Amino acid sequence: MKYFKLSEFDSPDLVGSGEAMDRDFLSRLDQARSLCDIAFKITSGYRTEDHNRKVGGVSNSSHTKGLAADIACTNSSARHIIVTALLKVGLNRIGIADTFIHVDRDPSKVANVIWTY
């Protein structure tokens, strides 16, 4: 990966857990970062089941499968640029909150959706 270190995706309660991230997902995330030329600050990557419970994550969270990331974003124009880049690289499960963008590539869930928190 050009723009990320696996440690950026570690669950806060397990050093080295970023290794559990899906490589195809990370490759696409790296491609999206390249397209939009905006730094991505990862606020949540891989989550252990315990950490997922602590943060109120859903029981079948894509984070626990290494298939999701949350990217810090509070600016609407940056949000547009990031979402456009994610879609261009085939990442089409996107959640938009006030302070972050969730993206995942979980084949067990419905594709081509954007939701808000």
Side-chain angles (χ1 to χ4, degrees):
M1 289 181 296
K2 181 176 179 181
Y3 295 101
F4 302 105
K5 292 180 250 169
L6 285 175
S7 60
E8 294 178 69
F9 298 90
D10 281 0
S11 186
D13 59 342
L14 186 59
V15 174
S17 57
E19 291 283 341
M21 292 295 293
D22 180 83
R23 296 308 195 263
D24 181 61
F25 173 74
L26 291 179
S27 175
R28 290 172 189 262
L29 198 60
D30 208 48
Q31 291 170 33
R33 163 61 182 88
S34 178
L35 287 174
C36 65
D37 197 32
I38 294 173
F40 286 8
K41 180 182 179 204
I42 305 302
T43 58
S44 185
Y46 180 79
R47 293 181 190 162
T48 62
E49 294 286 347
D50 189 44
H51 181 68
N52 190 57
R53 275 190 299 277
K54 286 179 185 172
V55 298
V58 296
S59 61
N60 65 338
S61 173
S62 301
H63 287 278
T64 63
K65 303 172 190 176
L67 292 167
D70 294 344
I71 304 161
C73 186
T74 57
N75 170 309
S76 64
S77 59
R79 190 176 293 120
H80 180 270
I81 292 166
I82 292 169
V83 168
T84 300
L86 293 171
L87 292 169
K88 280 184 182 175
V89 300
L91 294 172
N92 56 33
R93 287 188 41 80
I94 298 168
I96 299 179
D98 289 339
T99 59
F100 69 92
I101 298 168
H102 167 93
V103 59
D104 73 69
R105 188 164 193 266
D106 192 333
S108 72
K109 298 180 179 176
V110 176
N112 299 313
V113 293
I114 296 178
W115 65 90
T116 56
Y117 292 97

